[in-house]
Amino acid sequence: MSSQIHLTLGQKEYFKGIGKIPYEGRETDNPLAFRWYDEHRMVGGKTMKEHFRFAVCWWHSFCGTGADPFGAPTKNFPWLRPGDPLGQARDKMDAGFEFITKLGAPFYCFHDYDLVAEGPSLAESEKRLEKITDYALEKQQASGVEPLWGTANLFSHPRYMNGAATNPDFAVVAHAGAQVRMALDATIKLGGANYVFWGGREGYMSLLNTDMKRELGHLARFLHMAKDYARQQGFKGYFFIEPKPMEPSKHQYDFDAATCVGFIRHFGLEGDFKLNLEFNHATLAQHSMQHEMQVAADAGMLGSLDANRGDYQNGWDTDQFPADVYELTEAMLVFLEAGGLRGGGINFDAKTRRNSTDPEDLFYGHIGGMDAFARALLAAHDILEHSDYKKLRAERYASFDKGHGLDFENGKLSLKELAAIAAKNGEPEQRSGRQELFENILNRYI
Ligand code: XUL
Ligand code: CO
């Protein structure tokens, strides 16, 4: 086994027969090797590792059992065997760090109660979190793997059925506050680079019983308090809001990137908050990921990405591993033109299918996802460096580069002057948008 894998003496090996996943290039027949993701390969002045900052998520990868609303768990992973909560949490941590180290991802992401099961009281939960984060720190030191972000699960427990920060009952809001304080403490202790807020229950099931304005005010107040607390504790990272339009709530307040940008600005959070965008959330909102990323980038809020994909045949949040290189190339074009992410990375918020039951399926999912991103990055880089893509886009707007167009952009024309120019010009010439040509450029470089 490679020296880069850190198993302590006597520790159980969960992914037997699988060593460090190597980069072997496109022609390899080895299903447990990278074809495109070469962490050391330079692309436009940065290595692939630095571009992506890949993270494995704790919840789907190590807590996901394959249970769905219609059936029982299918994945009988040995680290999920019931036992005392801390013993089970340690097993899960051994399995998690073994997997991430073998895969060669530099980061992980977690919810508080992914690390260890919630206790019967806040005090007991805090004790458990303290213990398991001590253990995580040891694992981090041995492996060099760190959290890309931490978050609090404010949606699973029945107490949050009417919301967490937006709950109409102050007692629940206070409980959510206590939980976020502990999750921030854990994230800071583990050296987490960022902190995420995903508001699955921050929304409503019916507007009939909901005072939306008041709830949104509470959410903003809550985020300010969390940010102020974390800054007092010395946290230097960004806070990310993760947009999603629905599921589990019928309507979620963090609907999409544009809604979140408006919320962040309206409530004066723009110094500290950016967005964590997710592919399948973008499509649930009837947008493309490329659209969501462009909205965030234009607002200076392209923080981090949750990588996955939906299914064209239905509208759910299926959280499949990313595999669509065309979609990813569109996303990587926005990514590169924006100069990358602000503080974040690419977290696989993706789950293997219910019938992908073997531990090695976890490797296939992640290897495929990392390869798909790497291939898309190379294509997007080539498109920007070697094709007419940038030139064609610039030419579409050339009439604003000089003369009256430039005056218009600079606010030097009145509506009356605009009308006079139009009268003099007569009917504008027809100009093709050339969508098919743009699409062909993408396909040429993939
Ligand atoms: C749910 C989702 C969450 C967040 C973290 O759709 O994406 O897993 O990423 O709470
Ligand atoms: Co997510």
Side-chain angles (χ1 to χ4, degrees):
M1 187 188 298
S2 149
S3 60
Q4 280 152 291
I5 312 300
H6 297 272
L7 294 176
T8 26
L9 211 60
Q11 185 188 306
K12 189 168 175 186
E13 187 176 12
Y14 288 98
F15 300 92
K16 281 211 182 73
I18 299 175
K20 174 97 170 59
I21 304 300
Y23 167 73
E24 292 184 359
R26 190 174 189 172
E27 303 306 326
T28 186
D29 288 327
N30 180 0
L32 288 166
F34 293 114
R35 292 185 166 74
W36 299 91
Y37 179 67
D38 173 2
E39 63 177 18
H40 304 299
R41 177 157 178 192
M42 297 291 290
V43 182
K46 272 192 210 173
T47 62
M48 282 192 170
K49 187 176 177 182
E50 290 164 335
H51 272 292
F52 293 128
R53 292 158 60 81
F54 280 127
V56 173
C57 85
W58 217 258
W59 52 103
H60 288 311
S61 295
F62 311 121
C63 310
T65 62
D68 72 9
F70 303 93
T74 54
K75 306 187 190 200
N76 303 307
F77 294 145
W79 59 88
L80 289 178
R81 261 199 287 275
D84 82 285
L86 270 160
Q88 193 197 50
R90 283 200 194 92
D91 286 350
K92 198 158 58 170
M93 197 136 282
D94 290 343
F97 274 86
E98 185 194 326
F99 176 81
I100 297 170
T101 317
K102 286 181 169 176
L103 182 69
F107 292 104
Y108 71 102
C109 295
F110 66 92
H111 298 87
D112 43 3
Y113 300 142
D114 301 333
L115 297 185
V116 63
E118 181 173 4
S121 66
L122 282 166
E124 173 60 20
S125 295
E126 184 157 25
K127 260 192 225 151
R128 289 184 187 181
L129 279 167
E130 271 166 19
K131 289 202 178 119
I132 198 65
T133 48
D134 284 345
Y135 193 58
L137 267 184
E138 284 175 31
K139 296 270 175 193
Q140 289 184 196
Q141 274 148 16
S143 63
V145 173
E146 290 187 343
L148 182 65
W149 48 261
T151 187
N153 180 332
L154 300 176
F155 43 90
S156 293
H157 194 284
R159 78 173 73 84
Y160 296 125
M161 66 183 181
N162 291 308
T166 62
N167 198 293
D169 179 357
F170 173 67
V172 180
V173 176
H175 196 103
Q179 208 184 310
V180 166
R181 186 186 66 73
M182 297 190 304
L184 282 165
D185 286 345
T187 305
I188 294 168
K189 175 173 168 183
L190 297 174
N194 307 282
Y195 187 86
V196 161
F197 291 93
W198 171 62
R201 309 259 179 212
E202 312 293 21
Y204 58 79
M205 302 309 288
S206 167
L207 207 42
L208 290 173
N209 63 5
T210 302
D211 184 337
M212 181 155 70
K213 187 167 187 210
R214 210 162 174 190
E215 291 195 1
L216 278 167
H218 293 171
L219 179 58
R221 170 76 23 240
F222 189 91
L223 296 181
H224 270 287
M225 289 165 78
K227 180 257 297 171
D228 291 344
Y229 173 79
R231 294 295 182 228
Q232 282 158 14
Q233 307 305 307
F235 180 62
K236 298 269 187 303
Y238 285 119
F239 300 89
F240 298 139
I241 294 181
E242 184 175 325
K244 187 177 182 185
M246 65 193 82
E247 203 193 86
S249 302
K250 161 218 152 74
H251 174 90
Q252 278 158 217
Y253 293 139
D254 302 328
F255 194 91
D256 61 1
T259 310
C260 291
V261 168
F263 174 89
I264 286 170
R265 287 186 174 151
H266 181 72
F267 288 104
L269 291 160
E270 58 268 41
D272 304 86
F273 279 71
K274 307 211 175 288
L275 303 183
N276 177 38
L277 300 170
E278 181 165 324
F279 283 73
N280 209 166
H281 296 181
T283 49
L284 263 183
Q286 307 282 325
H287 299 310
S288 64
M289 184 62 163
Q290 181 194 20
H291 167 95
E292 290 294 83
M293 289 172 66
Q294 194 66 63
V295 169
D298 292 346
M301 294 188 197
L302 185 62
S304 205
L305 305 182
D306 268 9
N308 55 27
R309 77 179 201 278
D311 186 303
Y312 289 126
Q313 272 80 59
N314 59 36
W316 316 325
D317 194 16
T318 57
D319 285 347
Q320 286 158 248
F321 273 89
D324 182 340
V325 179
Y326 195 96
E327 179 187 31
L328 293 174
T329 304
E330 290 188 339
M332 286 299 106
L333 282 170
V334 181
F335 175 100
L336 286 175
E337 290 214 279
L341 304 171
R342 300 287 165 272
I346 295 180
N347 166 48
F348 288 103
D349 193 349
K351 57 185 176 215
T352 52
R353 300 301 83 194
R354 184 168 190 267
N355 56 352
S356 299
T357 48
D358 298 343
E360 73 200 56
D361 291 320
L362 271 180
F363 278 97
Y364 296 139
H366 285 87
I367 290 169
M370 288 159 83
D371 267 347
F373 266 95
R375 193 170 175 181
L377 180 76
L378 292 170
H381 177 73
D382 276 353
I383 289 165
L384 294 175
E385 292 295 308
H386 305 303
S387 80
D388 282 344
Y389 175 82
K390 274 162 87 170
K391 192 172 127 238
L392 288 167
R393 275 162 70 102
E395 274 170 13
R396 283 196 88 200
Y397 298 90
S399 60
F400 292 95
D401 292 341
K402 55 180 183 339
H404 293 316
L406 188 60
D407 289 345
F408 166 84
E409 266 198 358
N410 292 335
K412 289 187 187 154
L413 291 183
S414 68
L415 190 63
K416 248 183 163 174
E417 288 164 328
L418 215 53
I421 292 164
K424 192 164 156 250
N425 284 351
E427 185 58 30
E429 263 175 50
Q430 213 172 41
R431 284 180 193 277
S432 169
R434 304 224 187 286
Q435 181 175 329
E436 295 77 8
L437 175 58
F438 278 91
E439 288 169 349
N440 294 353
I441 292 174
L442 252 73
N443 264 329
R444 174 174 168 198
Y445 285 90
I446 284 172

